[in-house]
Amino acid sequence: MNRDQRFSFEFFPPKTDAGKEKLKLVSAELNALGPDFFSVTYGAGGSTRANTKDTVISMNAAGISTVPHLSFGNDDEQVILDLLREYKAAGISRIVALRGDVPSGMGAQRLIYAEELVQFIRDHTGDHFQLEVAAYPEVHPDAKGPENDIEFLKRKFDAGANSAITQYFYNVEAYFYFVEQCQKNGIDRPIYPGIMPITNYHNLARFSKSCGAEIPRWICQRLESFGNDSESVQEFGIEVVTQLCQRLLAEGAPGIHFYTMNQVEPNRQIWKNLGI
Ligand code: FAD
């Protein structure tokens, strides 16, 4: 594989002491593979504000290049400004800027479009941060349509985003068609595919429904046929996701962002299969 391509791993911030200890081991093992960076998600509405920040700062202190996700949620500008200052002081120079989804149970909250957060970060910190935004090859569930969704992605770039990471997908054609349409609409920045390894069919199916990602029928049929045989699910998942990544990288994707679910495997196995 070409190491001009960029590879990153995503974690969610652990809530418990046991989760924190486990993440130290997982991050050390995945860091040994030599990714470009790790990112840590942020619960919109500030539900993980402290956990995300602590995870990002302690991983950086351990020598693991790690960046935060961020969204406005219901926070006022000062809260976001303080976080930006702390990240800057900690030597962090990249942020994944999002609108976010409010976690269930947090009641009605205002959601501020990612474009406004990108603009806010640029207005207050200039060019200090590399800004990543989210992109949706299979169309964001709230979008009025594919054209409209790409128009808003373009606005995030016009506001100062440097690159995008996609929602996960298993249809390789959806990604390349999307990138082509983005280019036709004047987007010339890299769009990194986000890839979700397959470990548990029911969890994946539930999550995919809410975020608008399609699991192709042939993959569903195979996964269903394995029933509770988790070994076969893992084996098939590794095979399918490796092939997906191979095609993406061979056909011009600028790299890959792995949604790790805080697990070493199957991420490490897929990485090794790719020969990165
Ligand atoms: P936006 O870009 O603001 O778009 C949201 C929707 O509104 C889209 O349908 C868009 O077409 C539309 N839209 C955008 N701008 C406008 C406008 N000005 N006027 C009208 N409509 C508009 N969620 C979390 O809660 N925490 C995370 O850490 C997190 N990390 C993620 C990382 C990646 C790489 C990805 C792909 C997603 C992540 N998400 C995360 C999920 C994401 O927050 C949701 O998909 C959310 O619903 C949309 O966020 P966004 O930044 O894409 O929103």
Side-chain angles (χ1 to χ4, degrees), residues 10 40-44 69 96-101 112-115 133-136 140-143 148-149 152 155-156 165-167 257 259:
E10 179 174 308
V40 181
T41 62
Y42 186 82
H69 294 205
V96 183
L98 303 148
R99 181 196 76 173
D101 288 319
I112 298 183
Y113 294 119
E115 176 194 349
V133 290
Y136 300 86
H140 185 268
D142 300 347
N148 184 264
D149 213 19
F152 288 125
R155 282 167 56 158
K156 294 195 276 194
I165 301 172
T166 74
Q167 183 57 279
H257 179 78
Y259 296 105

Side-chain angles (χ1 to χ4, degrees), residues 45-57:
S47 60
T48 71
R49 192 182 305 117
N51 268 355
T52 297
K53 186 179 74 179
D54 293 350
T55 307
V56 167
I57 289 180

Side-chain angles (χ1 to χ4, degrees), residues 195-268:
I195 296 297
M196 178 79 90
I198 299 171
T199 51
N200 177 310
Y201 175 53
H202 292 292
N203 289 349
L204 182 68
R206 188 163 29 89
F207 190 53
S208 300
K209 212 169 168 191
S210 65
C211 70
E214 187 194 60
I215 315 176
R217 178 180 158 82
W218 67 275
I219 296 183
C220 288
Q221 294 285 321
R222 291 267 169 188
L223 289 171
E224 268 172 25
S225 77
F226 296 132
N228 292 329
D229 176 0
S230 59
E231 213 171 289
S232 297
V233 171
Q234 306 266 344
E235 215 173 283
F236 173 72
I238 287 172
E239 187 188 344
V240 167
V241 174
T242 299
Q243 285 172 8
L244 171 65
C245 296
Q246 278 166 338
R247 277 195 63 192
L248 286 166
L249 295 172
E251 292 175 31
I256 289 180
H257 179 78
F258 291 96
Y259 296 105
T260 69
M261 303 307 286
N262 292 13
Q263 305 287 338
V264 174
E265 301 297 355
N267 302 290
R268 178 167 55 189

Side-chain angles (χ1 to χ4, degrees), residues 118-131:
V118 169
Q119 191 63 61
F120 181 83
I121 297 174
R122 286 285 173 248
D123 287 349
H124 290 87
T125 62
D127 288 335
H128 176 79
F129 293 105
Q130 286 277 311
L131 296 179

